[in-house]
Amino acid sequence: MKKIETSSKISLLNLPESTLDVILELLSPIELINMSKVCTYLRGKCRSDHLWDNHMKHKWGRVFGHFAFKEWQWHVTIITKEEGSVLNQQINILNGSLGSFSGSWPMLCVGSYLEECHNFKSLLLANHFMMALYLSLESGKFWFPAQLYRGLYVHDALVSYNSITDTFRARTRSWNGRIVGNDIHWDKLRFSPVETSSCVRHVSDCFQELKPGDHIEIQWRGNTQAPYDWWYAVIGHLDSCNENENYCLCQNSETLVVEFKQYPQRSSMRKAKLTRHTEDSAGNYGGIRKLHSQEEIQKWNELLDHQRYI
Amino acid sequence: MAEEKSQASSSKMLTLKASDGVLFEVELNIAKEMKTVQAYIDDCEDIETIPIPNVLGKHLAIVIEYIKKTNEEYDAEFEKQWNMDDLQLLLLAANYLNISGLQECLCKAIAKRIENKSPEYVRKVFNIENDHSPEEEAKLRKEYKWAFEGVDKD
Protein backbone atom coordinates (compact mmCIF):
# COMPACT_ATOMS: atom_id res chain seq x y z
CA MET A 1 0.00 0.00 0.00
CA LYS A 2 1.15 3.51 -0.74
CA LYS A 3 2.38 5.51 2.20
CA ILE A 4 0.00 8.32 2.99
CA GLU A 5 1.58 11.70 3.55
CA THR A 6 0.23 13.98 6.22
CA SER A 7 -0.06 16.89 3.86
CA SER A 8 -1.92 15.32 0.96
CA LYS A 9 -5.69 15.26 1.04
CA ILE A 10 -7.37 11.92 1.16
CA SER A 11 -10.06 11.08 -1.33
CA LEU A 12 -12.83 8.53 -1.14
CA LEU A 13 -11.37 7.01 -4.25
CA ASN A 14 -8.18 6.13 -2.35
CA LEU A 15 -10.12 3.52 -0.42
CA PRO A 16 -9.79 -0.06 -1.56
CA GLU A 17 -12.56 -1.04 -3.96
CA SER A 18 -14.06 -3.62 -1.61
CA THR A 19 -14.36 -1.00 1.13
CA LEU A 20 -15.97 1.47 -1.26
CA ASP A 21 -18.41 -1.28 -2.21
CA VAL A 22 -19.45 -1.68 1.43
CA ILE A 23 -20.19 2.04 1.65
CA LEU A 24 -22.15 2.07 -1.60
CA GLU A 25 -24.24 -0.89 -0.48
CA LEU A 26 -25.45 1.19 2.45
CA LEU A 27 -26.80 3.95 0.21
CA SER A 28 -30.42 4.39 -0.83
CA PRO A 29 -31.41 4.48 -4.53
CA ILE A 30 -31.59 8.27 -4.59
CA GLU A 31 -28.20 8.55 -2.95
CA LEU A 32 -26.78 6.15 -5.52
CA ILE A 33 -28.07 8.35 -8.30
CA ASN A 34 -26.53 11.42 -6.66
CA MET A 35 -23.23 9.64 -6.19
CA SER A 36 -23.26 8.56 -9.82
CA LYS A 37 -23.11 12.24 -10.79
CA VAL A 38 -19.93 12.91 -8.82
CA CYS A 39 -17.38 11.58 -11.29
CA THR A 40 -17.09 9.04 -14.10
CA TYR A 41 -15.62 6.32 -11.89
CA LEU A 42 -18.47 6.56 -9.40
CA ARG A 43 -20.98 6.71 -12.22
CA GLY A 44 -19.91 3.24 -13.27
CA LYS A 45 -19.81 1.89 -9.72
CA CYS A 46 -23.17 3.34 -8.69
CA ARG A 47 -25.03 1.89 -11.63
CA SER A 48 -23.83 -1.67 -11.15
CA ASP A 49 -26.42 -4.43 -11.26
CA HIS A 50 -25.23 -5.81 -7.91
CA LEU A 51 -26.18 -2.67 -5.99
CA TRP A 52 -29.56 -2.26 -7.67
CA ASP A 53 -30.35 -5.97 -7.35
CA ASN A 54 -30.12 -5.50 -3.56
CA HIS A 55 -32.65 -2.69 -3.73
CA MET A 56 -34.91 -4.71 -6.01
CA LYS A 57 -35.00 -7.60 -3.56
CA HIS A 58 -35.44 -5.36 -0.57
CA LYS A 59 -38.29 -3.21 -1.84
CA TRP A 60 -39.93 -5.21 -4.61
CA GLY A 61 -39.34 -8.86 -3.72
CA ARG A 62 -42.83 -9.47 -2.36
CA VAL A 63 -44.74 -8.27 -5.40
CA PHE A 64 -42.33 -8.57 -8.31
CA GLY A 65 -41.71 -12.20 -9.15
CA HIS A 66 -40.02 -14.42 -11.65
CA PHE A 67 -42.70 -14.08 -14.34
CA ALA A 68 -42.79 -10.31 -14.05
CA PHE A 69 -39.01 -10.39 -14.53
CA LYS A 70 -39.48 -12.37 -17.74
CA GLU A 71 -41.75 -9.63 -18.98
CA TRP A 72 -39.02 -7.11 -18.18
CA GLN A 73 -36.50 -9.12 -20.19
CA TRP A 74 -38.89 -9.04 -23.11
CA HIS A 75 -38.99 -5.21 -22.99
CA VAL A 76 -35.21 -5.05 -22.71
CA THR A 77 -34.90 -7.09 -25.89
CA ILE A 78 -37.31 -4.85 -27.76
CA ILE A 79 -35.81 -1.58 -26.59
CA THR A 80 -32.20 -2.49 -27.25
CA LYS A 81 -32.78 -3.76 -30.77
CA GLU A 82 -31.73 -1.51 -33.62
CA GLU A 83 -34.07 1.16 -34.87
CA GLY A 84 -36.22 -0.09 -37.70
CA SER A 85 -35.90 -3.74 -36.80
CA VAL A 86 -39.02 -5.85 -36.79
CA LEU A 87 -39.03 -6.07 -33.02
CA ASN A 88 -38.69 -2.34 -32.66
CA GLN A 89 -42.08 -1.94 -34.31
CA GLN A 90 -43.61 -3.28 -31.13
CA ILE A 91 -43.22 0.18 -29.73
CA ASN A 92 -46.49 1.89 -30.40
CA ILE A 93 -47.40 5.49 -31.17
CA LEU A 94 -47.39 6.51 -27.51
CA ASN A 95 -43.82 5.22 -27.13
CA GLY A 96 -44.74 2.38 -24.87
CA SER A 97 -43.68 -1.21 -25.15
CA LEU A 98 -46.28 -3.97 -25.06
CA GLY A 99 -45.35 -7.14 -23.25
CA SER A 100 -46.24 -10.71 -24.09
CA PHE A 101 -49.69 -11.83 -25.21
CA SER A 102 -51.62 -14.89 -24.13
CA GLY A 103 -55.01 -16.39 -24.71
CA SER A 104 -56.90 -16.22 -27.99
CA TRP A 105 -59.21 -13.66 -29.53
CA PRO A 106 -61.39 -12.20 -28.10
CA MET A 107 -60.04 -13.36 -24.75
CA LEU A 108 -56.59 -11.83 -25.05
CA CYS A 109 -54.33 -10.91 -22.14
CA VAL A 110 -51.39 -8.54 -22.10
CA GLY A 111 -48.39 -9.59 -20.00
CA SER A 112 -47.19 -6.07 -19.14
CA TYR A 113 -46.78 -2.55 -20.47
CA LEU A 114 -43.83 -0.18 -20.27
CA GLU A 115 -44.67 3.51 -20.76
CA GLU A 116 -42.20 5.93 -22.37
CA CYS A 117 -39.71 3.16 -22.88
CA HIS A 118 -37.18 5.49 -24.55
CA ASN A 119 -36.31 6.73 -21.04
CA PHE A 120 -34.57 3.45 -20.35
CA LYS A 121 -32.73 3.00 -23.60
CA SER A 122 -29.36 4.48 -22.63
CA LEU A 123 -29.25 2.63 -19.31
CA LEU A 124 -30.12 -0.65 -21.01
CA LEU A 125 -27.60 -0.19 -23.79
CA ALA A 126 -24.98 0.31 -21.06
CA ASN A 127 -26.12 -3.00 -19.45
CA HIS A 128 -27.46 -1.41 -16.28
CA PHE A 129 -30.49 -3.71 -16.27
CA MET A 130 -31.38 -3.72 -12.59
CA MET A 131 -31.13 0.05 -12.24
CA ALA A 132 -33.39 0.51 -15.25
CA LEU A 133 -35.84 -2.01 -13.81
CA TYR A 134 -35.87 -0.37 -10.40
CA LEU A 135 -36.51 3.06 -11.93
CA SER A 136 -39.22 1.71 -14.22
CA LEU A 137 -41.03 0.34 -11.16
CA GLU A 138 -40.45 3.33 -8.90
CA SER A 139 -41.66 5.78 -11.53
CA GLY A 140 -44.79 3.76 -12.21
CA LYS A 141 -43.94 3.47 -15.87
CA PHE A 142 -43.80 -0.29 -15.75
CA TRP A 143 -47.23 -1.93 -15.50
CA PHE A 144 -46.16 -5.36 -14.34
CA PRO A 145 -48.20 -8.52 -13.66
CA ALA A 146 -49.17 -9.19 -10.07
CA GLN A 147 -52.12 -10.58 -8.16
CA LEU A 148 -54.60 -8.50 -6.19
CA TYR A 149 -56.19 -9.92 -3.04
CA ARG A 150 -59.95 -9.44 -3.03
CA GLY A 151 -61.64 -11.19 -0.16
CA LEU A 152 -61.05 -14.87 -0.75
CA TYR A 153 -59.87 -14.74 -4.30
CA VAL A 154 -57.00 -13.13 -6.15
CA HIS A 155 -57.36 -11.24 -9.39
CA ASP A 156 -54.65 -11.14 -12.04
CA ALA A 157 -53.82 -7.56 -12.88
CA LEU A 158 -51.21 -5.21 -14.24
CA VAL A 159 -50.09 -2.84 -11.50
CA SER A 160 -48.22 0.44 -11.50
CA TYR A 161 -46.63 2.11 -8.48
CA ASN A 162 -47.23 5.64 -7.27
CA SER A 163 -44.20 6.75 -5.26
CA ILE A 164 -45.97 9.77 -3.84
CA THR A 165 -48.71 7.78 -2.12
CA ASP A 166 -46.73 4.53 -1.83
CA THR A 167 -49.69 2.65 -3.33
CA PHE A 168 -50.55 1.01 -6.63
CA ARG A 169 -53.07 1.34 -9.43
CA ALA A 170 -54.30 -1.80 -11.15
CA ARG A 171 -55.63 -2.57 -14.61
CA THR A 172 -57.17 -5.79 -15.78
CA ARG A 173 -54.85 -7.88 -17.94
CA SER A 174 -57.52 -8.28 -20.62
CA TRP A 175 -56.85 -6.26 -23.73
CA ASN A 176 -59.17 -3.41 -22.76
CA GLY A 177 -56.90 -2.59 -19.80
CA ARG A 178 -59.73 -1.20 -17.69
CA ILE A 179 -58.73 0.26 -14.31
CA VAL A 180 -59.76 -2.16 -11.56
CA GLY A 181 -58.26 -0.49 -8.51
CA ASN A 182 -56.61 2.63 -7.13
CA ASP A 183 -54.68 3.34 -3.92
CA ILE A 184 -53.94 -0.32 -3.44
CA HIS A 185 -51.67 -1.05 -0.51
CA TRP A 186 -48.64 -3.33 -0.62
CA ASP A 187 -50.25 -5.97 1.57
CA LYS A 188 -53.07 -6.44 -0.96
CA LEU A 189 -50.62 -7.60 -3.61
CA ARG A 190 -48.49 -10.64 -4.25
CA PHE A 191 -46.35 -11.77 -7.16
CA SER A 192 -47.88 -14.22 -9.63
CA PRO A 193 -46.90 -17.73 -8.59
CA VAL A 194 -47.72 -19.19 -12.01
CA GLU A 195 -47.08 -18.04 -15.53
CA THR A 196 -50.69 -18.72 -16.60
CA SER A 197 -52.54 -15.51 -17.32
CA SER A 198 -56.19 -14.96 -16.47
CA CYS A 199 -57.22 -15.55 -20.08
CA VAL A 200 -55.96 -19.08 -20.18
CA ARG A 201 -56.94 -22.21 -18.30
CA HIS A 202 -54.11 -23.35 -16.06
CA VAL A 203 -52.72 -26.78 -16.76
CA SER A 204 -52.89 -28.54 -13.40
CA ASP A 205 -50.21 -31.07 -12.56
CA CYS A 206 -51.66 -32.12 -9.23
CA PHE A 207 -55.05 -33.70 -10.04
CA GLN A 208 -53.87 -37.25 -9.36
CA GLU A 209 -52.53 -36.57 -5.90
CA LEU A 210 -55.21 -34.24 -4.51
CA LYS A 211 -56.81 -35.61 -1.35
CA PRO A 212 -59.13 -34.29 1.36
CA GLY A 213 -57.46 -31.62 3.48
CA ASP A 214 -55.22 -30.28 0.71
CA HIS A 215 -55.23 -26.52 0.33
CA ILE A 216 -55.64 -25.26 -3.22
CA GLU A 217 -56.32 -22.29 -5.40
CA ILE A 218 -58.74 -22.91 -8.26
CA GLN A 219 -59.53 -20.79 -11.28
CA TRP A 220 -63.12 -19.63 -11.64
CA ARG A 221 -64.85 -17.22 -14.00
CA GLY A 222 -68.40 -15.92 -14.22
CA ASN A 223 -68.75 -16.72 -17.90
CA THR A 224 -66.57 -17.70 -20.83
CA GLN A 225 -66.06 -14.05 -21.80
CA ALA A 226 -64.63 -13.12 -18.41
CA PRO A 227 -61.06 -13.68 -17.24
CA TYR A 228 -60.37 -16.30 -14.54
CA ASP A 229 -59.76 -15.37 -10.92
CA TRP A 230 -58.09 -17.68 -8.40
CA TRP A 231 -60.18 -18.80 -5.42
CA TYR A 232 -58.91 -20.36 -2.24
CA ALA A 233 -60.46 -23.71 -1.32
CA VAL A 234 -59.82 -26.98 0.45
CA ILE A 235 -60.32 -30.46 -0.97
CA GLY A 236 -63.28 -32.04 0.79
CA HIS A 237 -64.71 -35.50 1.28
CA LEU A 238 -67.34 -37.11 -0.91
CA ASP A 239 -70.84 -37.17 0.56
CA SER A 240 -70.60 -40.91 0.79
CA CYS A 241 -67.45 -40.79 2.89
CA ASN A 242 -67.67 -40.89 6.68
CA GLU A 243 -64.51 -38.79 6.84
CA ASN A 244 -62.62 -41.32 8.87
CA GLU A 245 -58.99 -40.92 7.94
CA ASN A 246 -58.28 -44.62 7.86
CA TYR A 247 -61.17 -45.57 5.64
CA CYS A 248 -61.36 -42.59 3.35
CA LEU A 249 -61.07 -43.53 -0.31
CA CYS A 250 -61.88 -40.10 -1.71
CA GLN A 251 -58.47 -39.79 -3.32
CA ASN A 252 -59.23 -42.67 -5.66
CA SER A 253 -62.53 -41.30 -6.82
CA GLU A 254 -63.01 -39.70 -10.19
CA THR A 255 -65.00 -36.95 -8.44
CA LEU A 256 -63.08 -34.16 -6.79
CA VAL A 257 -64.85 -32.21 -4.05
CA VAL A 258 -63.74 -28.62 -3.74
CA GLU A 259 -64.89 -26.94 -0.57
CA PHE A 260 -65.23 -23.14 -0.12
CA LYS A 261 -65.14 -22.55 3.61
CA GLN A 262 -66.41 -19.00 3.49
CA TYR A 263 -69.91 -20.36 2.87
CA PRO A 264 -71.98 -21.99 5.61
CA GLN A 265 -72.20 -25.80 5.67
CA ARG A 266 -75.69 -26.00 4.27
CA SER A 267 -75.16 -23.47 1.47
CA SER A 268 -75.20 -24.75 -2.08
CA MET A 269 -72.10 -22.67 -2.76
CA ARG A 270 -70.04 -24.51 -0.20
CA LYS A 271 -69.03 -27.53 -2.27
CA ALA A 272 -68.32 -28.01 -5.93
CA LYS A 273 -67.99 -31.42 -7.50
CA LEU A 274 -65.56 -31.64 -10.37
CA THR A 275 -64.29 -34.45 -12.48
CA ARG A 276 -60.68 -35.16 -11.81
CA HIS A 277 -59.53 -36.06 -15.28
CA THR A 278 -61.64 -34.05 -17.65
CA GLU A 279 -60.37 -30.65 -18.70
CA ASP A 280 -63.69 -28.96 -19.25
CA SER A 281 -62.66 -25.69 -20.78
CA ALA A 282 -66.19 -24.46 -21.38
CA GLY A 283 -67.17 -24.61 -17.73
CA ASN A 284 -66.70 -21.96 -15.08
CA TYR A 285 -63.99 -23.79 -13.20
CA GLY A 286 -60.44 -23.89 -14.52
CA GLY A 287 -57.15 -25.31 -13.36
CA ILE A 288 -55.96 -26.00 -9.84
CA ARG A 289 -52.77 -25.08 -8.02
CA LYS A 290 -51.94 -27.00 -4.88
CA LEU A 291 -50.61 -24.85 -2.05
CA HIS A 292 -47.45 -26.09 -0.40
CA SER A 293 -46.23 -23.09 1.54
CA GLN A 294 -47.45 -22.59 5.11
CA GLU A 295 -47.17 -18.87 4.60
CA GLU A 296 -49.68 -18.88 1.75
CA ILE A 297 -52.11 -21.12 3.63
CA GLN A 298 -51.86 -18.98 6.72
CA LYS A 299 -52.56 -15.82 4.78
CA TRP A 300 -55.74 -17.32 3.36
CA ASN A 301 -56.85 -18.49 6.79
CA GLU A 302 -56.37 -15.02 8.19
CA LEU A 303 -58.50 -13.61 5.38
CA LEU A 304 -61.09 -16.31 6.04
CA ASP A 305 -61.30 -15.31 9.69
CA HIS A 306 -62.11 -11.78 8.62
CA GLN A 307 -64.76 -12.82 6.21
CA ARG A 308 -66.45 -15.84 7.67
CA TYR A 309 -70.20 -15.93 7.34
CA ILE A 310 -71.87 -16.71 10.61
CA MET B 1 -20.77 -6.04 25.17
CA ALA B 2 -19.31 -3.28 27.32
CA GLU B 3 -16.17 -4.85 28.60
CA GLU B 4 -12.75 -3.42 28.89
CA LYS B 5 -10.59 -6.16 27.44
CA SER B 6 -8.98 -7.65 30.52
CA GLN B 7 -5.45 -8.94 30.66
CA ALA B 8 -5.09 -12.41 29.22
CA SER B 9 -3.40 -15.12 31.24
CA SER B 10 -0.18 -14.24 29.44
CA SER B 11 0.29 -10.53 30.22
CA LYS B 12 2.54 -10.10 27.25
CA MET B 13 2.84 -6.59 25.92
CA LEU B 14 3.60 -5.62 22.37
CA THR B 15 4.88 -2.43 20.86
CA LEU B 16 3.31 -1.01 17.74
CA LYS B 17 5.26 1.62 15.83
CA ALA B 18 3.22 4.09 13.77
CA SER B 19 4.41 5.57 10.46
CA ASP B 20 5.57 8.78 12.18
CA GLY B 21 7.58 6.86 14.77
CA VAL B 22 5.12 7.10 17.67
CA LEU B 23 5.23 3.98 19.84
CA PHE B 24 2.26 2.28 21.50
CA GLU B 25 2.49 -0.43 24.09
CA VAL B 26 -0.57 -2.68 23.94
CA GLU B 27 -1.62 -5.95 25.47
CA LEU B 28 -1.44 -8.99 23.26
CA ASN B 29 -5.18 -9.55 23.18
CA ILE B 30 -5.81 -6.00 22.01
CA ALA B 31 -3.22 -6.30 19.28
CA LYS B 32 -4.78 -9.58 18.16
CA GLU B 33 -7.98 -7.79 17.18
CA MET B 34 -5.93 -6.38 14.32
CA LYS B 35 -5.73 -9.40 12.06
CA THR B 36 -2.77 -7.97 10.18
CA VAL B 37 -0.82 -7.77 13.44
CA GLN B 38 -1.99 -11.25 14.38
CA ALA B 39 -0.57 -12.57 11.13
CA TYR B 40 2.72 -10.83 11.92
CA ILE B 41 2.87 -12.46 15.36
CA ASP B 42 2.03 -15.86 13.90
CA ASP B 43 4.93 -15.52 11.53
CA CYS B 44 7.55 -14.37 14.03
CA GLU B 45 6.69 -15.41 17.58
CA ASP B 46 9.38 -13.52 19.41
CA ILE B 47 8.72 -10.13 17.91
CA GLU B 48 8.30 -7.24 20.28
CA THR B 49 7.97 -4.20 18.06
CA ILE B 50 5.73 -4.34 15.04
CA PRO B 51 5.97 -1.58 12.43
CA ILE B 52 2.69 -0.14 11.11
CA PRO B 53 3.97 1.86 8.13
CA ASN B 54 0.63 3.03 6.80
CA VAL B 55 -0.94 4.55 9.87
CA LEU B 56 -0.12 7.78 11.66
CA GLY B 57 0.31 7.83 15.42
CA LYS B 58 -2.78 9.94 15.92
CA HIS B 59 -4.96 7.44 14.07
CA LEU B 60 -3.37 4.38 15.63
CA ALA B 61 -4.18 5.84 19.04
CA ILE B 62 -7.83 6.19 18.03
CA VAL B 63 -7.93 2.66 16.67
CA ILE B 64 -6.46 1.16 19.83
CA GLU B 65 -8.92 3.10 21.96
CA TYR B 66 -11.76 1.81 19.79
CA ILE B 67 -10.74 -1.80 20.27
CA LYS B 68 -10.59 -1.35 24.03
CA LYS B 69 -13.95 0.37 24.36
CA THR B 70 -16.14 -0.86 21.53
CA ASN B 71 -19.78 -1.54 22.30
CA GLU B 72 -23.07 -0.36 20.82
CA GLU B 73 -23.15 2.88 22.76
CA TYR B 74 -19.52 3.72 22.15
CA ASP B 75 -19.79 2.99 18.45
CA ALA B 76 -22.81 5.25 18.06
CA GLU B 77 -20.95 8.19 19.55
CA PHE B 78 -17.56 7.31 18.13
CA GLU B 79 -17.99 8.50 14.59
CA LYS B 80 -19.39 11.90 15.53
CA GLN B 81 -16.05 13.18 16.78
CA TRP B 82 -14.15 12.96 13.54
CA ASN B 83 -14.10 15.11 10.43
CA MET B 84 -14.38 13.56 7.00
CA ASP B 85 -10.64 13.41 6.33
CA ASP B 86 -10.01 11.61 9.61
CA LEU B 87 -12.90 9.23 8.98
CA GLN B 88 -11.42 8.22 5.66
CA LEU B 89 -7.91 7.85 7.10
CA LEU B 90 -9.28 5.80 9.97
CA LEU B 91 -11.08 3.59 7.50
CA LEU B 92 -7.86 3.09 5.55
CA ALA B 93 -6.13 2.20 8.83
CA ALA B 94 -8.88 -0.20 9.85
CA ASN B 95 -8.74 -1.77 6.42
CA TYR B 96 -4.95 -2.18 6.50
CA LEU B 97 -5.00 -3.55 10.04
CA ASN B 98 -7.98 -5.72 9.14
CA ILE B 99 -10.32 -4.89 12.02
CA SER B 100 -13.78 -5.81 10.76
CA GLY B 101 -15.87 -4.17 13.52
CA LEU B 102 -14.18 -0.82 13.07
CA GLN B 103 -14.42 -1.03 9.28
CA GLU B 104 -18.15 -1.63 9.50
CA CYS B 105 -18.64 1.22 11.96
CA LEU B 106 -16.72 3.67 9.78
CA CYS B 107 -18.43 2.60 6.53
CA LYS B 108 -21.80 3.23 8.15
CA ALA B 109 -20.57 6.61 9.39
CA ILE B 110 -19.42 7.67 5.93
CA ALA B 111 -22.63 6.44 4.29
CA LYS B 112 -24.58 8.43 6.85
CA ARG B 113 -22.71 11.62 5.97
CA ILE B 114 -23.63 11.20 2.32
CA GLU B 115 -27.33 10.92 3.15
CA ASN B 116 -29.38 13.47 1.22
CA LYS B 117 -26.34 15.38 0.03
CA SER B 118 -25.78 16.77 -3.44
CA PRO B 119 -23.00 15.59 -5.79
CA GLU B 120 -21.25 18.96 -5.27
CA TYR B 121 -21.11 18.41 -1.52
CA VAL B 122 -19.79 14.89 -1.94
CA ARG B 123 -17.04 16.12 -4.26
CA LYS B 124 -15.95 18.80 -1.83
CA VAL B 125 -15.97 16.68 1.27
CA PHE B 126 -14.34 13.62 -0.27
CA ASN B 127 -11.87 15.52 -2.42
CA ILE B 128 -13.06 14.10 -5.72
CA GLU B 129 -12.56 15.84 -9.00
CA ASN B 130 -15.43 16.14 -11.43
CA ASP B 131 -14.19 14.58 -14.65
CA HIS B 132 -17.45 14.76 -16.57
CA SER B 133 -17.52 16.84 -19.72
CA PRO B 134 -19.89 19.86 -19.65
CA GLU B 135 -22.30 18.04 -21.96
CA GLU B 136 -22.32 14.94 -19.78
CA GLU B 137 -22.76 17.13 -16.72
CA ALA B 138 -25.79 18.88 -18.19
CA LYS B 139 -27.31 15.56 -19.22
CA LEU B 140 -26.75 14.00 -15.80
CA ARG B 141 -28.31 16.90 -13.98
CA LYS B 142 -31.63 16.27 -15.70
CA GLU B 143 -31.50 12.50 -15.67
CA TYR B 144 -33.97 10.42 -13.70
CA LYS B 145 -35.70 13.34 -12.02
CA TRP B 146 -38.91 11.90 -13.44
CA ALA B 147 -38.39 8.68 -11.49
CA PHE B 148 -38.50 10.27 -8.06
CA GLU B 149 -40.96 13.04 -8.42
CA GLY B 150 -42.39 12.58 -4.99
CA VAL B 151 -39.11 13.03 -3.10
CA ASP B 152 -37.55 16.14 -1.60
CA LYS B 153 -34.51 17.53 -3.33
CA ASP B 154 -31.70 18.68 -1.07
Side-chain angles (χ1 to χ4, degrees), chain A residues 46-303:
Chain A
C46 292
R47 292 182 179 185
S48 84
D49 267 0
H50 167 70
L51 287 173
W52 289 91
D53 191 39
N54 285 342
H55 286 298
M56 273 302 300
K57 288 197 175 89
H58 182 71
K59 180 162 183 177
W60 295 98
R62 274 175 297 157
V63 306
F64 192 86
H66 173 68
F67 301 112
F69 190 71
K70 278 175 83 169
E71 286 290 316
W72 172 250
Q73 289 174 313
W74 171 243
H75 293 293
V76 171
T77 308
I78 294 178
I79 294 168
T80 54
K81 280 289 173 229
E82 311 236 332
E83 301 278 331
S85 82
V86 170
L87 276 181
N88 216 243
Q89 287 161 26
Q90 283 274 101
I91 296 174
N92 66 23
I93 303 163
L94 295 171
N95 278 318
S97 168
L98 268 174
S100 64
F101 276 94
S102 54
S104 50
W105 181 265
M107 208 56 231
L108 277 179
C109 267
V110 175
S112 61
Y113 186 71
L114 183 61
E115 292 173 358
E116 296 172 33
C117 53
H118 57 270
N119 279 323
F120 306 99
K121 188 160 182 172
S122 62
L123 269 182
L124 291 175
L125 287 174
N127 294 335
H128 300 306
F129 301 117
M130 296 312 269
M131 181 176 172
L133 173 57
Y134 187 95
L135 293 181
S136 75
L137 292 172
E138 189 73 22
S139 61
K141 306 237 184 278
F142 190 19
W143 289 83
F144 63 95
Q147 291 182 329
L148 206 55
Y149 278 100
R150 280 179 170 171
L152 286 158
Y153 69 93
V154 281
H155 179 74
D156 269 321
L158 294 185
V159 298
S160 149
Y161 181 63
N162 180 341
S163 58
I164 298 176
T165 58
D166 193 30
T167 60
F168 294 83
R169 297 171 293 169
R171 290 185 186 277
T172 177
R173 286 183 63 174
S174 319
W175 63 274
N176 60 38
R178 199 169 40 90
I179 289 271
V180 291
N182 276 310
D183 296 323
I184 300 164
H185 285 269
W186 285 84
D187 56 4
K188 285 270 182 287
L189 287 179
R190 71 177 194 189
F191 62 76
S192 313
V194 293
E195 192 159 17
T196 317
S197 77
S198 42
C199 297
V200 171
R201 188 193 163 95
H202 178 66
V203 175
S204 326
D205 56 0
C206 53
F207 270 135
Q208 277 288 74
E209 43 170 86
L210 285 174
K211 60 187 191 310
D214 282 347
H215 300 265
I216 61 162
E217 286 172 10
I218 182 169
Q219 281 179 314
W220 184 88
R221 58 185 176 181
N223 59 67
T224 51
Q225 300 308 305
Y228 285 112
D229 290 319
W230 288 91
W231 288 76
Y232 168 67
V234 176
I235 301 293
H237 291 275
L238 300 169
D239 294 332
S240 55
C241 177
N242 65 3
E243 303 196 9
N244 183 321
E245 232 179 83
N246 296 326
Y247 300 108
C248 166
L249 298 168
C250 296
Q251 189 172 359
N252 302 331
S253 164
E254 191 50 31
T255 307
L256 195 62
V257 173
V258 174
E259 198 168 344
F260 298 98
K261 289 190 166 170
Q262 61 269 41
Y263 299 109
Q265 282 282 5
R266 269 160 308 213
S267 159
S268 58
M269 313 275 272
R270 173 102 177 183
K271 286 188 183 185
K273 294 188 178 71
L274 305 174
T275 330
R276 220 180 263 259
H277 290 107
T278 311
E279 299 269 327
D280 179 9
S281 56
N284 294 356
Y285 287 99
I288 290 181
R289 179 176 88 93
K290 182 171 170 180
L291 299 182
H292 295 279
S293 117
Q294 274 311 307
E295 213 183 302
E296 282 185 303
I297 297 171
Q298 201 179 333
K299 172 108 190 185
W300 282 122
N301 280 317
E302 278 165 16
L303 289 166

Side-chain angles (χ1 to χ4, degrees), chain B residues 9-116:
Chain B
S9 53
S10 74
S11 52
K12 184 172 177 189
M13 300 293 279
L14 228 71
T15 306
L16 301 177
K17 184 172 171 188
S19 62
D20 48 3
V22 183
L23 296 171
F24 294 90
E25 228 185 300
V26 291
E27 287 139 12
L28 187 60
N29 54 8
I30 304 274
K32 280 183 170 190
E33 292 292 316
M34 312 178 200
K35 297 204 182 74
T36 308
V37 172
Q38 170 74 72
Y40 218 107
I41 300 171
D42 288 342
D43 266 350
C44 0
E45 273 178 23
D46 289 335
I47 194 104
E48 284 190 1
T49 305
I50 297 175
I52 314 278
N54 291 321
V55 186
L56 288 170
K58 103 175 200 194
H59 293 123
L60 193 51
I62 298 170
V63 168
I64 292 169
E65 173 115 352
Y66 176 88
I67 296 172
K68 286 183 183 167
K69 292 191 177 165
T70 178
N71 63 33
E72 239 177 81
E73 226 179 278
Y74 183 80
D75 287 9
E77 291 304 308
F78 175 74
E79 57 96 358
K80 293 181 188 170
Q81 314 168 52
W82 318 115
N83 67 29
M84 199 55 99
D85 279 355
D86 279 328
L87 271 186
Q88 291 175 90
L89 285 166
L90 283 168
L91 183 49
L92 275 170
N95 181 261
Y96 172 72
L97 293 166
N98 202 344
I99 310 165
S100 51
L102 181 54
Q103 283 185 81
E104 207 182 297
C105 174
L106 290 166
C107 283
K108 283 188 187 155
I110 292 179
K112 200 158 163 214
R113 297 206 188 181
I114 303 178
E115 233 172 69
N116 288 328

Side-chain angles (χ1 to χ4, degrees), chain A residues 4 8-16 20 39 42, chain B residues 84-85 88-89 92 122-123 125-129:
Chain A
I4 296 148
S8 68
K9 284 224 159 215
I10 173 124
S11 154
L12 192 67
L13 306 184
N14 291 133
L15 292 171
L20 189 55
C39 65
L42 282 176
Chain B
M84 199 55 99
D85 279 355
Q88 291 175 90
L89 285 166
L92 275 170
V122 172
R123 276 185 211 124
V125 128
F126 287 116
N127 304 308
I128 300 174
E129 209 183 292

